[in-house]
Amino acid sequence: MAVRAVRGAVQLDRDEPEHMHEQVSALLTAILERNALDPDDLISVWFTATPDLHSDFPAAAARKLGITDVPLICAQELDVQGAMPRVVRILAHIETPLSKSDVAHVYLGAAGSLRKDIAQ
């Protein structure tokens, strides 16, 4: 089984805990489904949020999904002028038989414009 990394992002409409949990849960679920993964395949997950998001930790959504025995960490994105606002990004390390080129990176909604080169 190989160790791979999978990326993803979602733009939130507003900075509210419930909305963040809903959107981050949708992103995590899509990453798992599109890569035929289950939570046991997760090694660790990094979450980043743009500086305008501060209502809750994105990792809290993973815990609500039942992902409780995977190391999770949250960090703040660089505050780059002109960057897309209200974005949560994920970098997950996974165990998978997929090749690097077969890993499905998931960018939901408007966040799809962030990485057109790898968004599927």
Side-chain angles (χ1 to χ4, degrees):
M1 196 72 68
V3 174
R4 303 283 184 225
V6 60
R7 292 283 319 268
V10 64
Q11 184 182 40
L12 279 61
D13 295 327
R14 57 195 175 279
D15 184 25
E16 296 174 357
E18 299 81 17
H19 181 63
M20 180 180 290
H21 293 177
E22 174 185 289
Q23 295 300 307
V24 173
S25 293
L27 178 58
L28 276 170
T29 300
I31 287 171
L32 293 172
E33 288 176 355
R34 292 185 194 178
N35 289 288
L37 301 168
D38 62 53
D40 286 340
D41 298 321
L42 295 170
I43 297 169
S44 63
V45 183
W46 279 81
F47 297 87
T48 64
T50 51
D52 51 2
L53 294 175
H54 44 75
S55 64
D56 202 356
F57 295 100
R63 298 289 184 228
K64 284 188 171 188
L65 282 177
I67 300 172
T68 58
D69 61 351
V70 176
L72 308 175
I73 192 165
C74 298
Q76 188 176 80
E77 281 287 330
L78 295 174
D79 191 9
V80 176
Q81 185 175 15
M84 183 179 287
R86 301 178 315 282
V87 175
V88 173
R89 292 173 173 86
I90 290 176
L91 172 63
H93 300 95
I94 59 173
E95 290 181 318
T96 180
L98 295 173
S99 67
K100 287 182 185 179
S101 62
D102 288 333
V103 170
H105 304 282
V106 179
Y107 290 77
L108 299 179
S113 68
L114 294 172
R115 291 297 306 267
K116 291 179 183 176
D117 57 324
I118 63 171
Q120 298 180 8

